[in-house]
Amino acid sequence: MLSAGIRISGGVSRWGRQLQQQSRSLQKSAAPGTLANLKRLTESDTETLKTSMVSVVGEKNVSLAEAVRSQHGQDEGPDKGMNPDVVVSPGSTEEVSEICKLCFADNIPIIPFGTGTGLEAGISAIYGGVCVDLSRMDKIVDYHPEDFDVIVQPGITRESLNHHIKDDGLWFPVDPGANASICGMCATGASGTNAVRYGTVKENCLNLEVVLPDGRIMYTGGKGKRPRKSSAGYNLTNLFVGSEGTLGLITSATMRLHAQPEAVAAAVVSFPDVQSAVDTVVMILQCSLPMARMELLDTLAIKSCNAYSNLTLKEEPTLFLEFHSSEAGLEYQTSSVAELAHGNGGSDFQWATKTEDRNRLWTARHKLYYAGLGLRPGCRSVTTDVCVPISALPEMIASTREDIDKSGVTGPIFGHVGDGNFHCLLLFDPANPSEYQTCKRIYRNMAQLAFKLGGTCAGEHGIGMGKIDLMEEQLGETAFQSTQAIKRALDPKGIMNPGKVLPVSTTGWKSN
Amino acid sequence: MLSAGIRISGGVSRWGRQLQQQSRSLQKSAAPGTLANLKRLTESDTETLKTSMVSVVGEKNVSLAEAVRSQHGQDEGPDKGMNPDVVVSPGSTEEVSEICKLCFADNIPIIPFGTGTGLEAGISAIYGGVCVDLSRMDKIVDYHPEDFDVIVQPGITRESLNHHIKDDGLWFPVDPGANASICGMCATGASGTNAVRYGTVKENCLNLEVVLPDGRIMYTGGKGKRPRKSSAGYNLTNLFVGSEGTLGLITSATMRLHAQPEAVAAAVVSFPDVQSAVDTVVMILQCSLPMARMELLDTLAIKSCNAYSNLTLKEEPTLFLEFHSSEAGLEYQTSSVAELAHGNGGSDFQWATKTEDRNRLWTARHKLYYAGLGLRPGCRSVTTDVCVPISALPEMIASTREDIDKSGVTGPIFGHVGDGNFHCLLLFDPANPSEYQTCKRIYRNMAQLAFKLGGTCAGEHGIGMGKIDLMEEQLGETAFQSTQAIKRALDPKGIMNPGKVLPVSTTGWKSN
């Protein structure tokens, strides 16, 4: 599996080459937690492992089928995934624990799987091993509407959760677009369009049940604890949020819920340029107007949106806005924002107060990924995720647009402008490796510029395998080493989702 | 120093006894990071160390004086502090780094010091060593009003920071009452009255500069990075927030700022009982009313407040409320809250819209600690800090009140009811060890009940030394072991603020 590398339609990718290099360099050293430590399963090992797994979860919940393995190794990102050797679907935390004990004993990689909607190859089984598909565990464990919290199993999706709680006037606002699983969202550190008002999963996660690589079960905030805040010891909850399955498997999450807003309105307003749109957003923030959503779509994103979702929006940089408030507060908020937008050249203000109009608008926004892909049918996308201080957004976007246009790449830009986070779909023909390389170059330039402007290469998609080469530059040597030290402390054998967040190739963990 | 223990006016406290036991048990084992590993300085060692420290920070910034050492070992909590051997006041991060290198080489404990306003003996130098007083480093390093963030040195206090930024229409809302240093607040995981609306330091900290025990300088989010959100690797920022100086010294923090509200109003309303007050708070939250502050004061707290701050509030359970909004939104919010309060038997609604009236009210609230102490002049207080799901508050408070009254202890109750967090001042005469033991028993009962109700023993004061015996029960064995593993990974010699958060007495770190 290692020598195969990752192929983008025939061309051995950078990752493929890196894996080959790793394989060679590992002939030399073999410290704990390195690739050499991980067991690579032969066909016979796999059969033996299957028997053990069947004894834990039953025959129908273990699969070696190529189609199943391939579906579990491939997410929605640009890079071709690699198959796990076995896919196991546990039905309880205890079963997850037993699976881990078996893998731990034999140094077999464990890769947690939620819905497969990630973009950074977080589920790709680079070193083979066992994919633990948590989608069967999709129940609500405990629900406390009076306390605005819920305890869920890992596989429940955000739409399903929201369906369960909507009649109580509550909702879970973190919305990355995809109908991801709640614990997958916790693992990735997801956010989305509502984060400017309601925070990311980080701010909305109160406690996690985690199975550690050796099978021990842990509660990051203590078993059954769900206070709104705590200063009791290290913040293990927020260490596991965003750890992308590299420290343990999240088997349950206690999440904060919010009251549904009394009144909601949405608006679309177009601007002569990106700077004017961003200026409007800064002024809105300065006025303390508690916006629920503030999304920027550049001209190309609007074009793709019009084509894909059958809209007739003016093809200019545009803000999609949403207001959550009381009926009385709504009027004040909307009129204040309208005034600020007009002052910055905003025009064609279109209001959507009816639920169906709003849904049409946000469905179009959420389908932007597919709308963008539709600009060049058959293409895939290198999706960027930089997040910069908001004052740096105009420079960041202008420079990106120039780089994209100069390179002849099709690349709509859109994002969560209130947070300084935006995405760029850099489209490439999978049959054309040089296009892929061009997109990767633009993405790398964007990351470099984001760093220079005080930003991050990953606002909400995580590092996975896709951005792993940027980690040390993002963090600096010492924070990178501290990250390694924490990984080693909690996953001493290095079996949890190896090759994600931290490169396994940095063998013989640097001493702390 | 060890054999002296901690004395509460003549009686050797539980802690004193525990330290003596530790000392004895350490004759037997000496794993890395244990007490036996730490160097206990002789007089001659101290003189040598002083000379080294003087070479780093200059003569006038090193002190061996008893008065200085004693001031730096004692916080505002109930337990008698222990003096460090040396107090050093660095002027730069580089100096902090040099201090750490010297201590690291000789296994000398390092205790960071901000303002000394903590309550859990976090600055007590249990094993002697070097107190690093960061108060000279009190400058604003970089300020980005347009991005709503500021980078500060560790020693700047929240009042000083707010003074610097107020003319730009900005403020830093985290307000624990005391005029604590920003980095001390980060280290403790502080929050306060505004957390229900603006979050705790956790939600308001974007990046930290940290000096690790071996002197390496690290940026938890990467050097110079200040995006509003990031999913790039483990959340080191929130690992260090709340780590109480046990993993490294915070030498700079990048904090989020907020726009000052356009309009502010405050109100006081009294209720026939605690349940009615709490019911009102739950309804306010359910209506999504974005309250800035919701504080509950029980009858005894109101009595102490009236006496100390010369007020004439009705002596019943009372809510102190604050509204931050636009002028238009304010009217809606205040009338909605008034309606909900009346529905729950709230009466004597008193409004404070003028700045001076509001200030008088909140000054009285912030002085409650001293007002409470004033109920029995000469007493000190065991201050509890439980935080429970909001629906459990009435049971939590009623049971606590019963326990206090039955024990004959004077104990006003007040707190951040919107978060489910409240404090109880359990007053004891320092000359009467049995009173202290009674207060400790009540505090322990409260912690047990909080755990049972899904809460935490520490909402915002941290663990320090004061609650260290509750840590394993709070977290459970596995999370406790994971906490130890992280401590060992980042502080392998165990020299950072030893005996805080985790007991040093758990020698020979359990294997992970």
Side-chain angles (χ1 to χ4, degrees):
Chain A
M1 182 166 285
L2 269 170
S3 62
I6 298 170
R7 288 169 186 280
I8 300 289
S9 295
V12 175
S13 74
R14 195 169 46 74
W15 294 115
R17 286 196 301 277
Q18 182 170 320
L19 291 179
Q20 285 162 0
Q21 283 160 13
Q22 275 178 10
S23 181
R24 281 194 293 274
S25 76
L26 279 161
Q27 309 304 317
K28 297 180 198 160
S29 69
T34 66
L35 181 57
N37 198 47
L38 299 175
K39 181 160 183 175
R40 275 158 284 177
L41 300 172
T42 63
E43 221 163 286
S44 131
D45 290 335
T46 306
E47 284 299 334
T48 311
L49 183 63
K50 182 185 171 181
T51 309
S52 311
M53 291 295 168
V54 165
S55 73
V56 177
V57 297
E59 185 81 35
K60 67 175 182 180
N61 296 311
V62 182
S63 179
L64 303 186
E66 167 74 19
V68 174
R69 294 190 295 119
S70 133
Q71 182 222 335
H72 283 80
Q74 178 66 57
D75 69 2
E76 297 190 0
D79 292 312
K80 182 148 175 40
M82 295 180 79
N83 297 357
D85 296 305
V86 186
V87 176
V88 185
S89 303
S92 70
T93 301
E94 291 64 34
E95 288 182 6
V96 175
S97 169
E98 290 306 312
I99 292 166
C100 288
K101 283 177 192 165
L102 287 168
C103 291
F104 188 79
D106 281 340
N107 297 355
I108 297 168
I110 301 167
I111 304 105
F113 181 97
T115 53
T117 47
L119 293 168
E120 300 297 349
I123 54 166
S124 182
I126 318 177
Y127 306 109
V130 175
C131 170
V132 182
D133 180 339
L134 297 155
S135 57
R136 280 177 64 216
M137 296 171 63
D138 63 352
K139 306 291 178 301
I140 288 178
V141 178
D142 213 347
Y143 173 38
H144 310 102
E146 70 286 9
D147 292 321
F148 303 87
D149 71 53
V150 67
I151 305 177
V152 296
Q153 285 192 321
I156 193 170
T157 64
R158 62 172 186 84
E159 286 179 8
S160 172
L161 172 60
N162 273 318
H163 178 75
H164 275 91
I165 62 178
K166 74 173 192 298
D167 289 344
D168 294 319
L170 295 173
W171 73 311
F172 175 70
V174 185
D175 173 4
N179 187 21
S181 67
I182 297 297
C183 291
M185 288 167 62
C186 288
T188 314
S191 50
T193 52
N194 293 301
V196 66
R197 166 77 164 266
Y198 299 95
T200 70
V201 279
K202 189 178 88 175
E203 290 82 20
N204 286 285
C205 183
L206 297 173
N207 201 349
L208 293 172
E209 181 187 74
V210 170
V211 177
L212 292 173
D214 60 7
R216 284 178 300 156
I217 300 166
M218 158 172 127
Y219 303 86
T220 54
K223 188 171 184 177
K225 312 292 194 295
R226 51 189 179 88
R228 292 258 292 219
K229 64 183 189 185
S230 180
S231 65
Y234 304 162
N235 192 338
L236 297 179
T237 303
N238 273 335
L239 180 62
F240 278 84
V241 167
S243 63
E244 304 188 41
T246 63
L247 300 176
L249 290 114
I250 298 172
T251 47
S252 172
T254 307
M255 305 306 291
R256 277 184 70 167
L257 302 174
H258 295 257
Q260 287 167 14
E262 185 187 324
V264 179
V268 167
V269 55
S270 57
F271 291 86
D273 49 50
V274 166
Q275 175 82 49
S276 310
V278 174
D279 285 349
T280 305
V281 168
V282 173
M283 287 179 187
I284 290 170
L285 292 171
Q286 276 166 342
C287 292
S288 249
L289 291 161
M291 299 298 297
R293 287 166 157 162
M294 285 197 279
E295 299 284 304
L296 173 72
L297 286 78
D298 82 346
T299 306
L300 189 55
I302 290 289
K303 277 183 186 161
S304 73
C305 204
N306 279 342
Y308 190 86
S309 296
N310 234 341
L311 299 175
T312 54
L313 299 165
K314 190 168 168 185
E315 296 185 347
E316 279 185 349
T318 298
L319 289 180
F320 278 35
L321 303 166
E322 191 162 285
F323 306 80
H324 292 181
S325 180
S326 59
E327 289 290 355
L330 199 61
E331 198 182 311
Y332 174 77
Q333 279 183 35
T334 52
S335 63
S336 304
V337 168
E339 194 180 324
L340 292 170
H342 285 308
N344 283 299
S347 61
D348 285 319
F349 230 102
Q350 292 179 41
W351 290 97
T353 41
K354 283 190 208 154
T355 307
E356 59 266 32
D357 293 342
R358 275 205 321 275
N359 285 349
R360 205 162 68 103
L361 204 61
W362 289 110
T363 302
R365 163 62 190 89
H366 279 144
K367 284 188 176 161
L368 256 180
Y369 182 70
Y370 305 104
L373 292 179
L375 289 169
R376 278 188 69 192
C379 278
R380 300 193 70 166
S381 159
V382 170
T383 306
T384 71
D385 181 33
V386 298
C387 182
V388 295
I390 194 170
S391 67
L393 256 186
E395 178 180 346
M396 185 74 229
I397 293 178
S399 166
T400 300
R401 171 54 56 222
E402 193 185 327
D403 199 6
I404 292 171
D405 291 348
K406 227 168 44 190
S407 310
V409 166
T410 303
I413 289 173
F414 53 91
H416 320 308
V417 75
D419 293 324
N421 180 212
F422 72 91
H423 308 301
C424 181
L425 299 186
L426 301 168
L427 302 183
F428 67 94
D429 177 353
N432 187 342
S434 85
E435 277 196 11
Y436 174 76
Q437 290 308 328
T438 304
C439 293
K440 279 287 190 180
R441 186 189 51 72
I442 297 171
Y443 134 93
R444 211 171 303 272
N445 290 347
M446 288 178 71
Q448 296 303 329
L449 182 58
F451 291 158
K452 202 182 120 201
L453 296 171
T456 173
C457 63
E460 58 181 19
H461 294 169
I463 293 294
M465 198 175 77
K467 296 202 182 81
I468 206 164
D469 57 328
L470 293 169
M471 267 292 277
E472 188 159 1
E473 193 170 356
Q474 168 86 50
L475 291 179
E477 190 185 5
T478 307
F480 187 74
Q481 287 168 358
S482 292
T483 302
Q484 284 180 308
I486 292 166
K487 164 78 174 172
R488 189 174 38 178
L490 297 179
D491 178 24
K493 289 189 165 188
I495 60 173
M496 281 308 310
N497 208 2
K500 315 299 165 57
V501 181
L502 288 167
V504 172
S505 62
T506 57
T507 54
W509 308 92
K510 293 177 193 176
S511 76
N512 191 43
Chain B
M1 182 168 286
L2 269 169
S3 62
I6 298 172
R7 288 169 185 280
I8 301 288
S9 295
V12 175
S13 75
R14 193 170 47 74
W15 295 115
R17 286 196 300 278
Q18 181 169 323
L19 291 178
Q20 286 163 359
Q21 283 159 13
Q22 274 178 11
S23 181
R24 281 194 293 273
S25 76
L26 279 160
Q27 309 304 319
K28 298 179 197 160
S29 70
T34 65
L35 181 56
N37 197 48
L38 299 175
K39 181 160 183 176
R40 276 158 282 176
L41 299 172
T42 63
E43 219 163 288
S44 130
D45 291 335
T46 306
E47 284 300 332
T48 311
L49 184 63
K50 181 185 171 183
T51 308
S52 310
M53 292 296 168
V54 166
S55 73
V56 176
V57 297
E59 185 80 36
K60 67 175 182 179
N61 295 312
V62 182
S63 178
L64 304 186
E66 166 73 20
V68 174
R69 294 189 296 119
S70 133
Q71 181 222 334
H72 283 81
Q74 178 66 60
D75 69 1
E76 297 190 1
D79 291 311
K80 181 146 173 45
M82 295 179 79
N83 297 357
D85 296 305
V86 186
V87 176
V88 186
S89 304
S92 69
T93 302
E94 291 64 35
E95 288 181 6
V96 175
S97 169
E98 290 305 313
I99 292 166
C100 288
K101 284 177 191 164
L102 288 168
C103 292
F104 189 78
D106 282 340
N107 297 355
I108 298 168
I110 301 167
I111 304 106
F113 181 97
T115 54
T117 48
L119 293 168
E120 300 297 349
I123 55 166
S124 182
I126 318 176
Y127 306 110
V130 175
C131 169
V132 182
D133 180 339
L134 296 155
S135 57
R136 280 177 63 216
M137 295 171 63
D138 63 352
K139 307 291 178 300
I140 288 179
V141 178
D142 213 346
Y143 174 37
H144 310 102
E146 70 285 10
D147 293 320
F148 303 87
D149 70 54
V150 67
I151 305 176
V152 297
Q153 286 192 321
I156 193 169
T157 64
R158 64 173 185 84
E159 286 180 7
S160 172
L161 172 60
N162 273 318
H163 178 76
H164 275 91
I165 63 178
K166 73 172 192 299
D167 290 345
D168 294 319
L170 295 173
W171 72 312
F172 175 70
V174 186
D175 174 4
N179 188 21
S181 66
I182 297 297
C183 291
M185 288 167 63
C186 288
T188 314
S191 50
T193 52
N194 292 301
V196 66
R197 167 76 165 267
Y198 299 95
T200 72
V201 280
K202 190 178 88 176
E203 290 82 19
N204 286 284
C205 183
L206 297 173
N207 201 348
L208 293 172
E209 182 187 73
V210 170
V211 177
L212 293 173
D214 61 6
R216 283 178 301 154
I217 299 166
M218 158 172 129
Y219 303 87
T220 53
K223 188 171 184 176
K225 311 292 194 293
R226 51 190 179 87
R228 292 257 292 218
K229 64 183 189 185
S230 180
S231 65
Y234 304 162
N235 191 337
L236 297 179
T237 303
N238 273 335
L239 179 63
F240 278 84
V241 167
S243 64
E244 305 187 41
T246 63
L247 300 176
L249 289 113
I250 298 172
T251 47
S252 171
T254 306
M255 305 306 292
R256 277 185 71 166
L257 303 174
H258 295 257
Q260 288 166 15
E262 186 185 323
V264 179
V268 168
V269 55
S270 56
F271 292 86
D273 49 50
V274 166
Q275 175 82 50
S276 311
V278 174
D279 285 349
T280 306
V281 168
V282 173
M283 288 179 185
I284 290 171
L285 291 171
Q286 276 166 343
C287 292
S288 249
L289 291 162
M291 299 297 297
R293 287 166 158 162
M294 285 197 280
E295 299 285 302
L296 172 73
L297 287 76
D298 82 346
T299 307
L300 189 54
I302 290 288
K303 277 184 186 161
S304 73
C305 204
N306 280 342
Y308 191 86
S309 295
N310 233 340
L311 298 174
T312 54
L313 299 166
K314 191 167 170 185
E315 296 185 346
E316 278 186 349
T318 299
L319 290 179
F320 278 35
L321 304 166
E322 191 162 285
F323 305 81
H324 291 181
S325 181
S326 60
E327 289 289 354
L330 199 61
E331 198 182 309
Y332 174 77
Q333 280 184 34
T334 52
S335 63
S336 305
V337 168
E339 197 179 323
L340 292 171
H342 284 308
N344 284 299
S347 62
D348 285 320
F349 232 101
Q350 291 179 42
W351 290 97
T353 41
K354 282 189 209 154
T355 307
E356 58 267 31
D357 293 342
R358 277 203 321 276
N359 286 348
R360 205 162 68 103
L361 204 61
W362 289 110
T363 303
R365 163 63 188 88
H366 279 142
K367 284 188 176 160
L368 256 179
Y369 182 70
Y370 305 104
L373 292 179
L375 289 169
R376 278 188 68 194
C379 279
R380 301 192 70 166
S381 159
V382 170
T383 306
T384 71
D385 182 33
V386 299
C387 182
V388 295
I390 194 169
S391 67
L393 256 186
E395 177 181 347
M396 184 75 229
I397 293 178
S399 166
T400 301
R401 169 56 55 221
E402 193 185 327
D403 200 5
I404 292 171
D405 292 348
K406 226 168 43 190
S407 311
V409 167
T410 303
I413 289 175
F414 53 92
H416 319 308
V417 75
D419 293 324
N421 180 212
F422 72 91
H423 309 300
C424 181
L425 299 186
L426 301 168
L427 302 184
F428 66 95
D429 176 353
N432 187 343
S434 85
E435 277 197 10
Y436 174 77
Q437 291 307 328
T438 304
C439 293
K440 279 286 189 180
R441 186 189 50 72
I442 297 170
Y443 133 94
R444 213 170 303 271
N445 290 346
M446 288 179 70
Q448 296 302 329
L449 182 59
F451 292 157
K452 200 182 121 200
L453 297 171
T456 174
C457 63
E460 57 181 20
H461 294 169
I463 293 294
M465 198 175 77
K467 296 202 183 81
I468 206 163
D469 57 327
L470 294 168
M471 267 293 277
E472 188 159 0
E473 193 170 357
Q474 168 86 50
L475 291 178
E477 190 185 6
T478 307
F480 187 74
Q481 288 168 357
S482 292
T483 302
Q484 285 180 308
I486 291 165
K487 164 78 173 173
R488 189 175 36 180
L490 297 179
D491 179 23
K493 288 188 165 189
I495 58 173
M496 282 307 312
N497 208 3
K500 314 300 164 57
V501 181
L502 288 167
V504 172
S505 61
T506 57
T507 54
W509 307 93
K510 293 177 193 176
S511 76
N512 192 42

